[in-house]
Amino acid sequence: MKIRIVFTFLVLFALLGLSLRSNIQTTTAQTGEDRVPPETIVLGENAKLGKITFNHGNHITKKYSVDGTATLKCIECHHVELAASDVPDDAPKTTVYPADRTVTLTLESLKDPDTPNVTTCRSCHISKNDEPKILTEIPEIEDEKGKTISLTNQNAFHRGCTTCHNAVAKARPEAKAPTAMKCTACHKKS
């Protein structure tokens, strides 16, 4: 049950987007001393409603927090990138990878070559017929109705993205965050 609670909160901050087969495209490699986050990431290249071009740069440089007062912290989506010592006792949403991680991911810490590389979403959240890279199986949670949900990449992105976007729309109706019912605001056919 505890693992389900952990993963319930875990998905709240998953990377944005929908992907049946996520193809992450970055503008800069994660290696070397000049590591920088990608400006855009393409998700769901083969999604039925069309791919999602996620503007990662906007989410980390503009005031996209729910209340509109702050930029998003890396760990709000990259939930496994917390140092083990930074995990609050009352925050079951977080798992730490690697388990001996000593650095919490921030824009500053990413510049340090000693900071572990960012763990991709698809290391754990993969298509239902694939095998995760760092877990023994796809994470599962119990939803609000008690139904078990496999957190494939599609489910994790949908839950994480729409949960945040819906909260923004509720807190700030003037914001332009696409809500759960505005699929084609994110999904675009080529």
Side-chain angles (χ1 to χ4, degrees), residues 11-13 16-17 59 64-68 72 144 155 157-183 185-186:
V11 297
L12 294 177
F13 302 105
L16 297 176
H59 284 76
Y64 276 20
S65 63
V66 171
D67 65 5
L72 298 179
E144 303 75 25
N155 287 338
F157 292 145
H158 269 157
R159 292 180 66 84
C161 301
T162 60
T163 297
C164 188
H165 284 180
N166 289 345
V168 169
K170 184 176 180 180
R172 299 184 291 127
E174 76 285 357
K176 296 179 181 174
T179 59
M181 301 310 290
K182 296 180 181 174
C183 305
C186 294

Side-chain angles (χ1 to χ4, degrees), residues 7-19 43 54 59 64 66 72 75-79 93 121 125 141 144 149-168 177-180 186:
F7 285 114
T8 298
F9 288 100
L10 173 147
V11 297
L12 294 177
F13 302 105
L15 278 176
L16 297 176
L18 161 73
S19 176
L43 302 165
F54 167 60
H59 284 76
Y64 276 20
V66 171
L72 298 179
I75 58 170
E76 290 183 71
C77 296
H78 298 279
H79 58 87
K93 72 173 175 66
C121 300
H125 303 288
I141 61 164
E144 303 75 25
I149 296 174
S150 178
L151 290 177
T152 61
N153 52 336
Q154 179 183 13
N155 287 338
F157 292 145
H158 269 157
R159 292 180 66 84
C161 301
T162 60
T163 297
C164 188
H165 284 180
N166 289 345
V168 169
T179 59
C186 294

Side-chain angles (χ1 to χ4, degrees), residues 8 23 113 133 170 189:
T8 298
N23 294 322
K133 293 176 186 169
K170 184 176 180 180
K189 295 245 184 207

Side-chain angles (χ1 to χ4, degrees), residues 27-180:
T27 56
T28 305
Q30 245 193 66
T31 57
E33 292 185 23
D34 61 341
R35 299 188 305 171
V36 295
E39 184 64 28
T40 60
I41 301 171
V42 176
L43 302 165
E45 190 72 40
N46 300 318
K48 291 177 186 177
L49 290 176
K51 67 182 178 183
I52 298 96
T53 302
F54 167 60
N55 193 317
H56 187 260
N58 280 348
H59 284 76
I60 62 173
T61 62
K62 295 183 178 177
K63 294 182 178 181
Y64 276 20
S65 63
V66 171
D67 65 5
T69 63
T71 58
L72 298 179
K73 294 178 183 175
C74 300
I75 58 170
E76 290 183 71
C77 296
H78 298 279
H79 58 87
V80 301
E81 310 298 340
L82 268 172
S85 61
D86 289 345
V87 178
D89 292 335
D90 62 343
K93 72 173 175 66
T94 308
T95 53
V96 176
Y97 186 82
D100 62 349
R101 187 181 187 94
T102 59
V103 178
T104 293
L105 180 66
T106 65
L107 288 174
E108 281 303 308
S109 72
L110 182 62
K111 296 173 186 174
D112 181 348
D114 291 333
T115 297
N117 284 341
V118 176
T119 305
T120 65
C121 300
R122 289 179 58 81
S123 294
C124 302
H125 303 288
I126 44 97
S127 298
K128 64 182 174 183
N129 296 324
D130 293 336
E131 217 172 284
K133 293 176 186 169
I134 62 174
L135 297 176
T136 57
E137 59 187 25
I138 300 172
E140 292 184 340
I141 61 164
E142 201 170 289
D143 73 5
E144 303 75 25
K145 297 178 182 178
K147 180 181 174 189
T148 300
I149 296 174
S150 178
L151 290 177
T152 61
N153 52 336
Q154 179 183 13
N155 287 338
F157 292 145
H158 269 157
R159 292 180 66 84
C161 301
T162 60
T163 297
C164 188
H165 284 180
N166 289 345
V168 169
K170 184 176 180 180
R172 299 184 291 127
E174 76 285 357
K176 296 179 181 174
T179 59

